[in-house]
Amino acid sequence: MTARFADGTTGEFPLGELMTVGRHPANSLRLVDREVSKEHASIERMGRDYILRDLGSSNGTFVNGRRVAEARLREGDEISLGASKLIFHTGDVGGAFPPVPGVAGQRTGGARVTVVAQAHSIPAFLAQMEQEAPQNFRPAEQFQEFTTLKREYEKLRIAYEFHRQVSQQGNQEDLFEEILSVAFQLLAADHGVILKPDAKGEFSPVAVKHRKGRPENVMVSDTVLRKVAETHKAVLTADAIIDERFSSSESIVAQGIRSAMAVPLLSKGRLEAVLFLDSRQQTNAFSEKDLTILSGIAAQAAIALENAALAEQIRTEAITRAELSRFLSRAVAEAVIRGETEDLRQSRLAEVTCLFADIRGFTTLSENESPQEVVSMLNEFFTLMAGVVFRHEGNLDKFIGDCVMAVWGPPSSHPDDPARALRAALEMQDAVEVLNGTRQAVGKPPIEVGIGLNTGLAVVGYMGSTERHEFTAIGDAVNTASRLCGLARGGEVMATESTVQKAGNGFDVEARPPVQVKGKEKGVLPYRVLGLEITNTPRQ
């Protein structure tokens, strides 16, 4: 079987005992016409006659302009199904029919129908277009032709309209909606959809728009999407039904999509999404100029997507920076965001200087004040302590009840970390005195803080469960600093010998008798740090 398609060829179909006509490929005669039902009509031989029956089609079956449910066909009858027309001939017309290539079961002579017109007899207009950068506007003196000037003006108009309406959108979801809105303003589309590919290359819709505003299913050819995804070119068809690229796309025929355009949204050469528009009213609804306009929209949209992604990255980094700055020094937090530190998830053994600062008599203090006052005092105390730690480029490890733990070392170590930690401890005591002045001015009792420091090896890295973890340090060096903090009286700074020696000159220290701390077989030689040295006399 054959038919008169876009090339003008006419197909003659010999009639057997029964021939079915419809849009479905299983029919004897298939008419790819959106107004033809899947199983539209049948022609059955009854003795010497041929009977045409409508099979409950949506748009009816007509013989010589009259709608029929059943009719006996006569020579020259014109059968209309949708926009397709067939002519019935009976008897031998004096010769065999021309053979139709690839069609089995042909006969010479006998009754036949001739397809003289089909809905898609208008040739399809097909175009592909490379995506252009939207900033390629040339100086006016370089234009020699008016048509070229008009084309450049159109680019400028699209850029202006797009920027005016879309530039303020801050996230991808709103941006996609605005892209479709601009496309509908500039083009006569019935339906539009933006689809994003996943990691496997499968597309899913992220925004849909309809001209009439009512929700409908938008059927998009997988062939179209693959074509755009593979070539990164814009695609236009004037009649999607006969476009050979849609020959396997029954969804397009079923939905009656007559004209369609699809353009890629590219970001740095990578396909971010595909913008698809269709028209179901007429063939040739879109022209090559429309494809140029849509490509211009896509180019502007790609820039907007990049800006939205950059804005999202900035927001994410700001959140990350804020979270990291709660525990890490500002310099370390910035280094972590830039990826300039080692992998924090890789736990390792490293030298650290650990500091514990604990409020003395906190239980008694909390019993004499309201919960609100206790919380307010702790927040003020923690804020002061954290500020001191960050000023000396240490890392705030955690708050433990009324105690502060800070660590100098990874992820950003300094050669003078022990000295930084000692200076921070002394500044903490000064900050507590200032806080007490404020408290006493309003009739509240002062607080006293004991501080302990130790330098040694500890395991550092992210620790905890899969749901919640933190970057911290654990080990004997940390435990010793905690034990020493417990021995320090209010207002005292106690440091181990390792911390004092590694800190070097510049501190006024006083050796204390060795003490036995929990978990240590040997006694610990503590030093009371009185302040910074006034003279440069080397310590013996």
Side-chain angles (χ1 to χ4, degrees), residues 5 20 22 50 69 135 167 239 241 248 251 253 263 277 294 299 333 348 355 367-368 447 451-452 465 513 528 538 540:
F5 293 113
T20 59
Y50 287 86
Q135 299 92 349
S167 60
D239 191 334
I241 291 179
S248 62
S251 59
V253 176
V263 296
L277 299 181
L294 192 61
R348 59 194 180 278
L355 176 151
E367 289 176 349
N368 296 326
I447 63 173
I451 300 176
S465 67
R528 183 183 180 193
Q540 300 298 323

Side-chain angles (χ1 to χ4, degrees), residues 46-215:
M46 305 287 290
R48 297 179 58 86
D49 295 328
Y50 287 86
I51 307 301
L52 171 68
R53 293 187 179 90
D54 183 85
L55 300 179
S57 65
S58 299
N59 296 317
T61 300
F62 297 80
V63 176
N64 301 324
R66 181 173 61 88
R67 184 166 184 167
V68 299
E70 181 176 312
R72 183 170 65 88
L73 296 175
R74 293 180 171 84
E75 172 67 28
D77 279 349
E78 181 181 276
I79 305 168
S80 299
L81 297 86
S84 300
K85 296 186 183 302
L86 301 88
I87 303 297
F88 173 77
H89 299 284
T90 183
D92 195 340
V93 293
F97 301 140
V100 180
V103 179
Q106 297 183 69
R107 302 185 303 168
T108 58
R112 68 198 187 279
V113 292
T114 304
V115 181
V116 296
Q118 280 196 251
H120 51 62
S121 60
I122 300 173
F125 178 80
L126 176 63
Q128 292 189 26
M129 183 175 295
E130 297 280 358
Q131 293 296 87
E132 296 182 0
Q135 299 92 349
N136 58 343
F137 300 111
R138 290 178 287 166
E141 58 269 16
Q142 294 185 11
F143 294 109
Q144 303 297 326
E145 299 180 1
F146 180 68
T147 56
T148 304
L149 184 61
K150 287 177 62 178
R151 186 166 59 250
E152 293 297 308
Y153 168 78
E154 190 67 19
K155 293 179 184 178
L156 186 61
R157 183 176 73 92
I158 294 169
Y160 170 75
E161 287 295 327
F162 194 92
H163 178 76
R164 183 175 64 85
Q165 299 185 48
V166 179
S167 60
Q168 301 302 316
Q169 298 300 331
N171 59 70
Q172 268 198 3
E173 291 75 14
D174 293 340
L175 180 58
F176 286 140
E177 297 289 346
E178 287 298 327
I179 291 171
L180 285 176
S181 178
V182 172
F184 269 57
Q185 290 179 33
L186 298 176
L187 297 164
D190 293 325
H191 308 279
V193 59
I194 296 178
L195 305 104
K196 279 182 67 70
D198 58 19
K200 297 181 180 179
E202 299 297 326
F203 287 89
S204 58
V206 292
V208 179
K209 186 175 179 62
H210 308 282
R211 174 69 65 181
K212 296 182 179 179
R214 64 176 184 271

